[in-house]
Amino acid sequence: MPEATPAGRPVDCDVLVVGYGPVGQTLTILLAQCGYRVTVLERKAEPYPRPRAVHYDDEIARVFAAAGIGDQVAAISMPSGEYDWQNADGRTLLHFDWGAAGLSGWPASNMFAQPRLEAVLAARAESFPTVRVRRGWQAAGLTEHDDRVEVTATGLDGGSEVIAARYVVGCDGANSFVREWLGTGLTDLGFFYDWLILDVVPHDQEREWKPFNLQICDPVRPTTVVSGGPGRRRWEFMRLPHETIEQLNNEETAWRLLARWELTPDNADLERHTVYTFQARWADAWRRGRVVIAGDAAHLMPPFAGQGMCSGIRDCANLAWRLDLVLSGRAGDALLDTYTSERSAHIQNAIGMSVELGNVICLTDPAAVAARDEVMLKAEGRPEVALPPIPPPVLGPGVLSVTADGAPFGVAGQLSPQGLVRSAAGTTGLFDQVTGTGFVLLGRGESIKNIDESARASLAELGAHVVRLLPADAEVADVAEAADGTEAVADVDGRYQQWLDAVGYEAVVIRPDFYVFGGATSAAEVPALLGELFGQLGLVTTTAS
Ligand SMILES: Cc1cc2nc3c(=O)[nH]c(=O)nc-3n(C[C@H](O)[C@H](O)[C@H](O)COP(=O)(O)OP(=O)(O)OC[C@H]3O[C@@H](n4cnc5c(N)ncnc54)[C@H](O)[C@@H]3O)c2cc1C
């Protein structure tokens, strides 16, 4: 593992992460898993004890699994199941059923308490001997050099220190110091609503909440009533134009509003009350030289789709493999350029969706409310009919296979599915658990049989899994352990065959963040696909080919 920069000057760590919220924690784990030395500065001496995010999706569950904590996170979460929107009369405007597994193979929608998640993430991050977490230390100054960045850290005890790192990632939240240093502009959609957030632990833990998650689209008081993870409930009440924050944000108001659900200080604990201003904005640049930002430091959105933290975790998955290739010298640092372009387009989709939902939920004008209810009631609760069409989230321009006119080829830039597979050893499970994570070349039939030595060497350099996909009933052992390093798996639930049929690929390259780099419609196209991948990565092959 490198101890110094390529110029030979010593550094204290490979990556300095500023901020130890869920985003900084996840990035720390993903980098430490690759063997890098990560130092974290967190200005608070103690973890933030109050819940914020309560929902994450199947894609994020897959990232947590890749971070080695899939089961631990599942143990502090619960599938969210149904989510209904009702109008003022209690009639169903929208009905979502999120009980099943999502595209990524994990439950589509999960409820949790953020402090519990952060405890799981911290325990995992701090289990690596190369990770140093310095709580009570704040990043206060930053100087970039050709080969490193020096960060001045100030301690709560009045101490001060300079830490040298090859890269710095600001995961330092909405008021990011690192973003300020980048000097980037912000695009702000001008969406500002204040909401009172109440986190409640009802004493009666057997009480049934039906629907389990509910949005009350009542112009008199738009209200959210959802799970806060095992044992907890979350209420959110919109501030009305005639109210002040002070009138809303106090215990008396909290209990008055909760009385509708027959909750009182005698039968429930109010963990906290606070008012958040929901906003929709993103930084225009997420990187300058050796300094990068991720998570709330780079973007903010209203929580109506439960995607704020999720988006930050996606940033980590996108950034970690790039930093790995750059820090190990397998790719030049131009690879970091497309982090912003890919993630920014994706985040704008998430922000757009959250704002769309917010615009529907936050309505107070009676005429607009009547028009909304009419449309939604006619659609009989079907979101695909009632809501404006939202384009699927796709990465912006970046490390993606493109057509001659520069457009993504096929489903390049979209999230890949994860199905159940069976290995030669007879292990059945989700693909990542059976095969491992990282770059994947997955092909069916004979499509990946004739890869030449040089391409194999480059795939090995990337640590890629080259996997032959077999039908569900195939004898995997017969074709596995090929001398050329190809693995084989049976497509137990047929998910990959169905997907490849639908997108018209015979082979596909999936990136470590689970997004599709590109596909080949025949075996003959596979060499060109791989050549495009290595070229776009700027892969520096160090092994003999
Ligand atoms: C009411 C509410 C509901 C939400 N619901 C959801 C949801 O259901 N699903 C979802 O995905 N998201 C949700 N979110 C959003 C989610 O909570 C945030 O997106 C997430 O916490 C961001 O994580 P982060 O690590 O980027 O930033 P943070 O969690 O804010 O962490 C940043 C850390 O950086 C530290 N720091 C700041 N400056 C410095 C410095 N100079 N030096 C050192 N340390 C520093 C801070 O102390 C902090 O610990 C919700 C948010 C709110 C407010």
Side-chain angles (χ1 to χ4, degrees), residues 436-447:
T437 52
F439 281 94
V440 173
L441 169 63
L442 179 72
R444 54 182 171 176
E446 305 292 298
S447 63

PDB file of all heavy atoms in Angstrom, residues 436-447:
ATOM      1  N   GLY A 436     -19.116 -12.137  -5.665  1.00  0.00           N
ATOM      2  CA  GLY A 436     -18.279 -11.026  -5.195  1.00  0.00           C
ATOM      3  C   GLY A 436     -18.633  -9.767  -5.976  1.00  0.00           C
ATOM      4  O   GLY A 436     -19.383  -9.816  -6.950  1.00  0.00           O
ATOM      5  N   THR A 437     -18.092  -8.642  -5.538  1.00  0.00           N
ATOM      6  CA  THR A 437     -18.410  -7.359  -6.181  1.00  0.00           C
ATOM      7  C   THR A 437     -17.192  -6.854  -6.956  1.00  0.00           C
ATOM      8  O   THR A 437     -16.128  -7.442  -6.904  1.00  0.00           O
ATOM      9  CB  THR A 437     -18.844  -6.326  -5.132  1.00  0.00           C
ATOM     10  OG1 THR A 437     -17.852  -6.296  -4.119  1.00  0.00           O
ATOM     11  CG2 THR A 437     -20.170  -6.690  -4.515  1.00  0.00           C
ATOM     12  N   GLY A 438     -17.360  -5.771  -7.662  1.00  0.00           N
ATOM     13  CA  GLY A 438     -16.305  -5.226  -8.511  1.00  0.00           C
ATOM     14  C   GLY A 438     -16.815  -5.180  -9.941  1.00  0.00           C
ATOM     15  O   GLY A 438     -18.025  -5.324 -10.180  1.00  0.00           O
ATOM     16  N   PHE A 439     -15.925  -4.949 -10.890  1.00  0.00           N
ATOM     17  CA  PHE A 439     -16.345  -4.997 -12.295  1.00  0.00           C
ATOM     18  C   PHE A 439     -16.776  -6.421 -12.629  1.00  0.00           C
ATOM     19  O   PHE A 439     -16.165  -7.393 -12.166  1.00  0.00           O
ATOM     20  CB  PHE A 439     -15.191  -4.597 -13.219  1.00  0.00           C
ATOM     21  CG  PHE A 439     -14.982  -3.113 -13.286  1.00  0.00           C
ATOM     22  CD1 PHE A 439     -14.061  -2.492 -12.453  1.00  0.00           C
ATOM     23  CD2 PHE A 439     -15.717  -2.337 -14.173  1.00  0.00           C
ATOM     24  CE1 PHE A 439     -13.872  -1.127 -12.506  1.00  0.00           C
ATOM     25  CE2 PHE A 439     -15.535  -0.962 -14.233  1.00  0.00           C
ATOM     26  CZ  PHE A 439     -14.607  -0.356 -13.395  1.00  0.00           C
ATOM     27  N   VAL A 440     -17.828  -6.522 -13.451  1.00  0.00           N
ATOM     28  CA  VAL A 440     -18.333  -7.846 -13.857  1.00  0.00           C
ATOM     29  C   VAL A 440     -18.536  -7.848 -15.365  1.00  0.00           C
ATOM     30  O   VAL A 440     -19.155  -6.919 -15.912  1.00  0.00           O
ATOM     31  CB  VAL A 440     -19.679  -8.162 -13.159  1.00  0.00           C
ATOM     32  CG1 VAL A 440     -20.278  -9.456 -13.714  1.00  0.00           C
ATOM     33  CG2 VAL A 440     -19.506  -8.266 -11.649  1.00  0.00           C
ATOM     34  N   LEU A 441     -17.991  -8.856 -16.003  1.00  0.00           N
ATOM     35  CA  LEU A 441     -18.367  -9.139 -17.395  1.00  0.00           C
ATOM     36  C   LEU A 441     -19.217 -10.395 -17.329  1.00  0.00           C
ATOM     37  O   LEU A 441     -18.734 -11.463 -16.962  1.00  0.00           O
ATOM     38  CB  LEU A 441     -17.130  -9.373 -18.269  1.00  0.00           C
ATOM     39  CG  LEU A 441     -17.413  -9.937 -19.669  1.00  0.00           C
ATOM     40  CD1 LEU A 441     -18.249  -8.968 -20.506  1.00  0.00           C
ATOM     41  CD2 LEU A 441     -16.103 -10.258 -20.396  1.00  0.00           C
ATOM     42  N   LEU A 442     -20.489 -10.225 -17.646  1.00  0.00           N
ATOM     43  CA  LEU A 442     -21.436 -11.341 -17.544  1.00  0.00           C
ATOM     44  C   LEU A 442     -21.924 -11.671 -18.945  1.00  0.00           C
ATOM     45  O   LEU A 442     -22.404 -10.786 -19.661  1.00  0.00           O
ATOM     46  CB  LEU A 442     -22.607 -10.903 -16.662  1.00  0.00           C
ATOM     47  CG  LEU A 442     -23.739 -11.895 -16.441  1.00  0.00           C
ATOM     48  CD1 LEU A 442     -23.299 -13.037 -15.535  1.00  0.00           C
ATOM     49  CD2 LEU A 442     -24.942 -11.188 -15.793  1.00  0.00           C
ATOM     50  N   GLY A 443     -21.774 -12.925 -19.348  1.00  0.00           N
ATOM     51  CA  GLY A 443     -22.204 -13.271 -20.705  1.00  0.00           C
ATOM     52  C   GLY A 443     -22.902 -14.610 -20.730  1.00  0.00           C
ATOM     53  O   GLY A 443     -22.638 -15.490 -19.910  1.00  0.00           O
ATOM     54  N   ARG A 444     -23.801 -14.743 -21.675  1.00  0.00           N
ATOM     55  CA  ARG A 444     -24.471 -16.043 -21.800  1.00  0.00           C
ATOM     56  C   ARG A 444     -23.974 -16.745 -23.052  1.00  0.00           C
ATOM     57  O   ARG A 444     -23.332 -16.131 -23.917  1.00  0.00           O
ATOM     58  CB  ARG A 444     -25.980 -15.860 -21.796  1.00  0.00           C
ATOM     59  CG  ARG A 444     -26.515 -14.895 -22.810  1.00  0.00           C
ATOM     60  CD  ARG A 444     -28.013 -14.784 -22.653  1.00  0.00           C
ATOM     61  NE  ARG A 444     -28.556 -13.717 -23.472  1.00  0.00           N
ATOM     62  CZ  ARG A 444     -29.845 -13.462 -23.568  1.00  0.00           C
ATOM     63  NH1 ARG A 444     -30.714 -14.180 -22.890  1.00  0.00           N
ATOM     64  NH2 ARG A 444     -30.276 -12.481 -24.333  1.00  0.00           N
ATOM     65  N   GLY A 445     -24.322 -18.034 -23.142  1.00  0.00           N
ATOM     66  CA  GLY A 445     -23.899 -18.818 -24.292  1.00  0.00           C
ATOM     67  C   GLY A 445     -22.384 -18.801 -24.414  1.00  0.00           C
ATOM     68  O   GLY A 445     -21.652 -18.925 -23.427  1.00  0.00           O
ATOM     69  N   GLU A 446     -21.925 -18.593 -25.636  1.00  0.00           N
ATOM     70  CA  GLU A 446     -20.479 -18.610 -25.888  1.00  0.00           C
ATOM     71  C   GLU A 446     -19.934 -17.180 -25.958  1.00  0.00           C
ATOM     72  O   GLU A 446     -18.823 -16.967 -26.434  1.00  0.00           O
ATOM     73  CB  GLU A 446     -20.204 -19.311 -27.229  1.00  0.00           C
ATOM     74  CG  GLU A 446     -20.779 -20.705 -27.336  1.00  0.00           C
ATOM     75  CD  GLU A 446     -20.055 -21.673 -26.397  1.00  0.00           C
ATOM     76  OE1 GLU A 446     -18.851 -21.876 -26.576  1.00  0.00           O
ATOM     77  OE2 GLU A 446     -20.710 -22.190 -25.459  1.00  0.00           O
ATOM     78  N   SER A 447     -20.740 -16.211 -25.526  1.00  0.00           N
ATOM     79  CA  SER A 447     -20.393 -14.812 -25.824  1.00  0.00           C
ATOM     80  C   SER A 447     -19.073 -14.331 -25.224  1.00  0.00           C
ATOM     81  O   SER A 447     -18.455 -13.418 -25.747  1.00  0.00           O
ATOM     82  CB  SER A 447     -21.529 -13.883 -25.372  1.00  0.00           C
ATOM     83  OG  SER A 447     -21.683 -13.965 -23.980  1.00  0.00           O
TER      84      SER A 447
END
